[in-house]
Amino acid sequence: MATAETTVRKSEFANEAFVDFTRPENKASMEAALKKVAAEFGKEYPMYIGGEKVYTTEKMASTNPSHPSQVIGVFQAGSKEHADKAVEAAWKAFETWKKVPAEERAECLFRAARIVRERKFEISAWICYEVGKSWAEADGDTAETIDFLEYYGREMLRLIGPQPVTPMKGEKNFMVYIPLGVGAAIPPWNFPAAIATGMTAAALVTGNTVVLKPSEEASVVAAKMVEVLYEAGIPKGALNLVTGAGEIVGDALVKNPKTRFITFTGSKEVGLLISEAAGKKVPGQIWIKRTVLEMGGKDATIVDDEADVDAAVEGVAQAAFGYQGQKCSACSRAIVSEKVYDSFVQKMVERAKKVTVGPSEDPNNYMGPVASKTALETVLGYIDVGKKEGRVLVGGDRAPGDGYFVQATVIADVDPKARIAQEEIFGPVLAVIKARDFDHALEIANGTEFGLTGGVYSKNQQKLEKARDNFYVGNLYLNRKCTGAMVGAHPFGGFNMSGTDSKTGGPDYLLLFLQGKSIAEKLQ
Ligand code: NAD
């Protein structure tokens, strides 16, 4: 139990600066890292259970979506038994890890941040190859990883020791935060370093132990991050890595009676399955499993008739096509006032035509591939639906190359209730919807089951005020793009079917991994 007053003093949190790739030395460093990493393609990565390296007979491969025949790495096809064993091992480690002073646990995160900073280009190169991020997007992922480590380390220091309670005469009272126990961390592939590391680090720094089950599409980057955390001093038993299929390993972790909490980021469909399974008491279970679920979005940007249309076009284009539209925060609906609709559409078409697509290791390509063959089929399927639901003005097809490339696609005149205006596509597809006025635009924006990010472009303060009050999203952005949340500055998480509004990178986040213990002593 943490009782000591904080003795460690850290400088105030500041976001990691992004790499400027226009500088020749940075460009050269990235090129060298891409070369170095490519020489390691095909390497096999073990699972880690209770500190032991574990190998399975059956293997899985992680491939490069820019060049699908390239095997980035080979990992283990874990089973339910591996998941169960890892939960047992994590409980064993919990007995010692929970007693490690919180300052020391935080220090592990600060050390991990330093290691990631030192290996920045190498980690970004792995991200670029494994999930098809451009240099800038990969660097953003790496920088956010550093930010989560630095921020959660500091947050833990803030939460150490007795928390203030109302004094009561004749009693000595206080409350302390203690860890929950063993948690399952189940991240998606789209922020393979930042999300996997962020959720894992938050659970660990609060004194819990973890079984991490990474995405099948991003298991190499996850293995690299686990190695970083071990090097930084996290005991092997406290962090277990079990790779494999989500429906097997993930499902087993969720249903295990000894799993105390689940931190998940991914699709609405899987999030709901987890919510349901975790809510069902199974034999041997003595607690209500806590779930932290961050899910999908159908994010909109409102372009008002009093907006700077050029700024809106740029913001929407970046949010719609950055990382091929594969961010939960991506703008997939532009809701445009009828007075500026034609001008917006014309400018957006010109802007989208400039989007270059191709292998992500080539810095001339703004967009790389979508993540997998399944993703490609899903996105193209939605584009086909979109051809019937609106007017395709740009794109609408695959882009050349053997990778999973899709053209930046703009579909205009879409009905607010059309499928492509309601369902998460997770690809570079923007639906443009016409609104009569600002109130109508807000009504359309709020008219989906999601509530993650939203943007508004307007010069009218009263309309911005109205959006502040009535645009029902976890992250609202005024006169700027709706992607690119910064740790600390923009705590991130959504409403409704976008999740449990667990605000990552914010002051409430670590509390999701803790429980308060209130202690009252009658003075003699
Ligand atoms: P996904 O739901 O397919 O998979 C997420 C994770 O769940 C993976 O590790 C997967 O192996 C695992 N999984 C799959 N089936 C499971 C099961 N039955 N039981 C337990 N675990 C299982 O999502 P994805 O394709 O990896 O990621 C894309 C989705 O993530 C999008 O919907 C996106 O919007 C969302 N996302 C949300 C946020 C956010 O902060 N809200 C951030 C990033 C991504």
Side-chain angles (χ1 to χ4, degrees):
M1 189 191 296
T3 51
E5 283 292 333
T6 306
T7 50
V8 182
R9 294 271 173 268
K10 294 295 289 183
S11 58
E12 213 174 303
F13 170 76
N15 294 112
E16 179 71 8
F18 295 127
V19 171
D20 177 358
F21 289 109
T22 62
R23 293 176 75 116
E25 67 273 25
N26 290 337
K27 187 166 180 278
S29 297
M30 189 63 187
E31 282 165 352
L34 285 163
K35 223 181 230 168
K36 175 175 178 273
V37 158
E40 288 179 48
F41 280 175
K43 205 181 127 189
E44 185 171 340
Y45 297 87
M47 302 194 286
Y48 289 94
I49 301 176
E52 302 289 324
K53 287 183 179 175
V54 177
Y55 295 86
T56 55
T57 325
E58 203 193 320
K59 310 285 177 194
M60 292 172 90
S62 177
T63 54
N64 180 352
S66 294
H67 310 283
S69 59
Q70 240 170 33
V71 174
I72 300 294
V74 173
F75 58 96
Q76 315 304 316
S79 63
K80 176 183 182 306
E81 289 66 38
H82 292 116
D84 292 344
K85 247 185 163 169
V87 172
E88 285 302 325
W91 273 112
K92 207 165 153 220
F94 181 64
E95 287 311 311
T96 44
W97 180 243
K98 69 178 179 186
K99 292 180 191 144
V100 171
E103 291 92 337
E104 277 179 43
R105 298 196 305 256
E107 199 48 51
C108 289
L109 268 55
F110 300 136
R111 271 198 298 273
R114 283 199 289 277
I115 297 169
V116 176
R117 206 174 279 120
E118 279 159 19
R119 293 195 207 147
K120 192 180 255 198
F121 291 100
E122 181 202 326
I123 290 166
S124 295
W126 280 113
I127 296 170
C128 172
Y129 282 130
E130 192 173 33
V131 299
K133 285 200 178 185
S134 68
W135 290 18
E137 294 288 351
D139 174 58
D141 200 323
T142 307
E144 192 175 15
T145 308
I146 295 170
D147 284 352
F148 279 140
L149 291 163
E150 295 279 4
Y151 184 84
Y152 294 147
R154 283 168 176 75
E155 278 297 291
M156 190 64 237
L157 298 180
R158 182 174 69 82
L159 294 171
I160 296 174
Q163 303 296 310
V165 291
T166 304
M168 178 160 269
K169 216 173 160 207
E171 286 187 6
K172 185 179 144 200
N173 298 341
F174 63 95
M175 190 186 85
V176 286
Y177 289 119
I178 64 169
L180 294 166
V182 171
I186 309 180
W189 48 263
N190 73 332
F191 280 81
I195 295 182
T197 310
M199 58 167 57
T200 302
L204 286 167
V205 79
T206 39
N208 304 284
T209 52
V210 175
V211 182
L212 168 63
K213 203 261 10 126
S215 162
E216 298 87 313
E217 266 115 43
S219 289
V220 172
V221 172
K224 299 277 169 202
M225 299 319 300
V226 166
E227 285 165 10
V228 166
L229 289 167
Y230 288 157
E231 191 183 328
I234 299 289
K236 286 203 166 131
L239 170 56
N240 298 270
L241 174 69
V242 183
T243 50
E247 319 81 73
I248 297 171
V249 178
D251 183 69
L253 291 173
V254 169
K255 292 181 178 161
N256 189 309
K258 299 263 176 67
T259 298
R260 175 65 183 86
F261 67 95
I262 299 136
T263 171
F264 164 86
T265 303
S267 62
K268 178 193 88 179
E269 289 70 23
V270 175
L272 289 178
L273 276 180
I274 291 178
S275 175
E276 194 181 340
K280 202 167 168 195
K281 181 180 177 297
V282 290
Q285 182 180 329
I286 61 161
W287 44 61
I288 297 166
K289 289 176 186 171
R290 193 180 286 181
T291 52
V292 178
L293 308 172
E294 295 161 54
M295 291 143 56
K298 190 68 198 173
D299 311 309
T301 299
I302 293 175
V303 184
D304 173 45
D305 47 34
E306 294 179 81
D308 173 341
V309 174
D310 291 324
V313 166
E314 188 52 36
V316 169
Q318 288 182 17
F321 305 128
Y323 190 33
Q324 299 80 269
Q326 299 176 116
K327 297 180 189 176
C328 52
S329 54
C331 175
S332 57
R333 296 180 294 154
I335 303 168
V336 187
S337 170
E338 61 184 12
K339 284 192 193 144
V340 291
Y341 187 84
D342 291 341
S343 140
F344 176 88
V345 166
Q346 187 210 334
K347 289 177 176 185
M348 180 51 79
V349 166
E350 292 314 310
R351 177 63 180 81
K353 279 184 186 161
K354 291 192 189 130
V355 174
T356 47
V357 194
S360 52
E361 71 273 11
D362 178 348
N364 296 315
N365 294 322
Y366 180 75
M367 291 205 314
V370 294
S372 62
K373 189 160 181 279
T374 316
L376 177 71
E377 286 163 2
T378 306
V379 175
L380 293 176
Y382 271 114
I383 289 176
D384 277 344
V385 172
K387 284 176 181 165
K388 295 181 204 103
E389 291 184 331
R391 270 190 307 138
V392 177
L393 299 179
V394 195
D397 213 336
R398 283 188 79 154
D402 62 343
Y404 306 126
F405 305 117
V406 180
Q407 296 170 338
T409 299
V410 178
I411 306 177
D413 306 345
V414 177
D415 185 88
K417 294 293 169 200
R419 279 187 64 199
I420 63 159
Q422 290 287 320
E423 298 171 21
E424 188 182 48
I425 300 173
F426 227 53
V429 183
L430 176 71
V432 189
I433 302 166
K434 193 184 280 184
R436 289 187 303 274
D437 51 30
F438 194 72
D439 287 346
H440 187 217
L442 266 179
E443 186 191 316
I444 296 169
N446 285 332
T448 75
E449 62 180 356
F450 297 103
L452 190 44
T453 75
V456 178
Y457 280 87
S458 178
K459 290 178 187 162
N460 182 324
Q461 275 301 328
Q462 278 168 347
K463 287 176 181 167
L464 295 183
E465 197 55 48
K466 207 173 220 180
R468 276 186 203 109
D469 289 344
N470 300 308
F471 198 161
Y472 196 66
V473 287
N475 285 73
L476 178 64
Y477 297 99
L478 306 177
N479 289 318
R480 52 149 287 173
K481 64 175 179 167
C482 66
T483 52
M486 298 298 286
V487 170
H490 313 129
F492 188 83
F495 301 158
N496 293 346
M497 282 295 165
S498 292
T500 49
D501 190 42
S502 39
K503 284 279 192 280
T504 61
D508 304 336
Y509 192 63
L510 289 195
L511 296 178
L512 299 167
F513 302 89
L514 291 162
Q515 51 196 346
K517 182 170 182 178
S518 181
I519 299 166
E521 181 183 354
K522 190 169 166 39
L523 295 173
Q524 301 298 323

